[in-house]
Amino acid sequence: MNTINASSAISLQPAASECADPRFDHPFGNPHHANAIDLAELARQLDAAASWEAKNRLLVQLAKQLPDWSAEQKTPDSKVAGCESQVWLAFSPLGQTENGARWQLAADSDSRIVKGLLALVLTAYNQRSDSGAFDFEAWLNERGMQRFLSASRGNGLRAITRTIGEHLQNQAAA
């Protein structure tokens, strides 16, 4: 993994040999991926899926684009507390920008729908240095997603975004 160079004012991409971890090879919020999906594209797809069935199908399709983690990668340290389904997060530093450190994110879940929801989270937060500036819940509301989520899934999403925010804050303070 790359180390963060605090004196650098530009973002650094890891060398190809450092991208060997397949968990990070996904299109969500990754502008360097051949099939990159950004928030605008994801919003367009979610907005076009009017019913819960259509949104559910989209989530399943998105989930298929996230790499499955091996059992060895699903460690207690990477597990997110507060989720009904099992969820794991991994962080890899990409470099320093004028707004702070940028991190590459990866996620997995034992639930296909939750894994699709993780694709939404990754699109919102992957490779950003300003995680606190984005209101994920408001973005979900704009897409009409909150009314389709059970209370436990909503709480789980909040736990995931809180974990990401805390990780980034802790790293910035370090």
Side-chain angles (χ1 to χ4, degrees):
M1 282 191 218
N2 257 353
T3 58
I4 296 176
N5 179 352
S7 65
S8 174
I10 61 170
S11 62
L12 305 172
Q13 286 298 330
S17 63
E18 294 175 298
C19 292
D21 189 336
R23 296 177 298 175
F24 296 97
D25 186 22
H26 62 77
F28 304 106
N30 183 355
H32 304 288
H33 193 278
N35 300 315
I37 298 174
D38 64 13
L39 275 175
E41 172 60 21
L42 195 53
R44 186 195 64 74
Q45 290 181 30
L46 285 167
D47 292 346
S51 68
W52 172 241
E53 292 81 17
K55 289 184 188 310
N56 197 41
R57 277 192 303 275
L58 177 60
L59 290 175
V60 169
Q61 290 170 352
L62 295 171
K64 290 177 182 177
Q65 296 181 60
L66 277 176
D68 293 323
W69 292 21
S70 70
E72 294 79 29
Q73 292 168 324
K74 296 176 181 178
T75 65
D77 288 345
S78 64
K79 192 170 181 180
V80 177
C83 296
E84 188 172 306
S85 299
Q86 294 188 79
V87 172
W88 299 272
L89 284 173
F91 302 84
S92 178
L94 285 176
Q96 188 75 18
T97 70
E98 57 201 31
N99 296 328
R102 285 186 353 157
W103 292 84
Q104 188 170 6
L105 307 176
D108 196 10
S109 176
D110 61 345
S111 162
R112 186 63 63 189
I113 295 299
V114 172
K115 196 166 181 173
L117 292 169
L118 287 170
L120 306 182
V121 171
L122 291 176
T123 304
Y125 292 104
N126 192 32
Q127 299 194 19
R128 293 177 65 128
S129 58
D130 59 346
S131 68
F134 185 73
D135 188 344
F136 185 69
E137 283 195 58
W139 185 84
L140 283 179
N141 281 329
E142 290 171 16
R143 313 277 75 79
M145 290 295 293
Q146 290 295 67
R147 63 188 166 111
F148 294 117
L149 298 176
S150 66
S152 64
R153 282 198 178 131
N155 289 336
L157 280 173
R158 281 187 284 285
I160 293 162
T161 58
R162 184 175 50 250
T163 300
I164 292 169
E166 288 171 358
H167 174 82
L168 297 180
Q169 282 183 329
N170 291 340
Q171 295 303 314

